[in-house]
Amino acid sequence: MSPQSELSCRPDCGACCTAPSITSPIPGMPGGKPAGIPCVQLLPDRRCAIFGEPTRPAFCAGLKPSADMCGETRGHALAWLTQLEVATAPGRAA
């Protein structure tokens, strides 16, 4: 197993629940969420309240922690995911 596949979420991070936009419905956010806005399902300890639930968006379930994405700090993860959001935004010139 590669080191990246062994990573788990960093406690008190929640960067992946804040930085990216999510276009599919989320319980409590039927229109999804814009980039940079914390998901309503993000608990005070920055864990997902619907982790593993069928109502969790496929986008969330497909986003797996990796050394590149997560880095050593929450700040790194937020910056990395924000850059990815900008690079993949609809209408962005290639």
Side-chain angles (χ1 to χ4, degrees):
M1 189 177 287
S2 74
Q4 286 192 351
S5 64
E6 295 174 9
L7 284 179
S8 60
C9 288
R10 176 186 301 107
D12 200 34
C13 183
C16 59
C17 302
T18 304
S21 59
I22 300 174
T23 58
S24 57
I26 302 166
M29 298 180 106
K33 70 167 226 55
I37 302 298
C39 177
V40 297
Q41 297 299 329
L42 190 60
L43 297 168
D45 66 355
R46 294 194 178 132
R47 297 281 185 175
C48 177
I50 57 172
F51 187 86
E53 298 294 325
T55 55
R56 185 173 179 224
F59 171 85
C60 301
L63 190 59
K64 305 295 184 202
S66 71
D68 288 343
M69 179 176 77
C70 299
E72 294 294 322
T73 66
R74 179 178 191 267
H76 172 98
L78 282 168
W80 194 93
L81 286 162
T82 298
Q83 286 179 323
L84 182 63
E85 178 70 26
V86 170
T88 59
R92 184 180 185 288

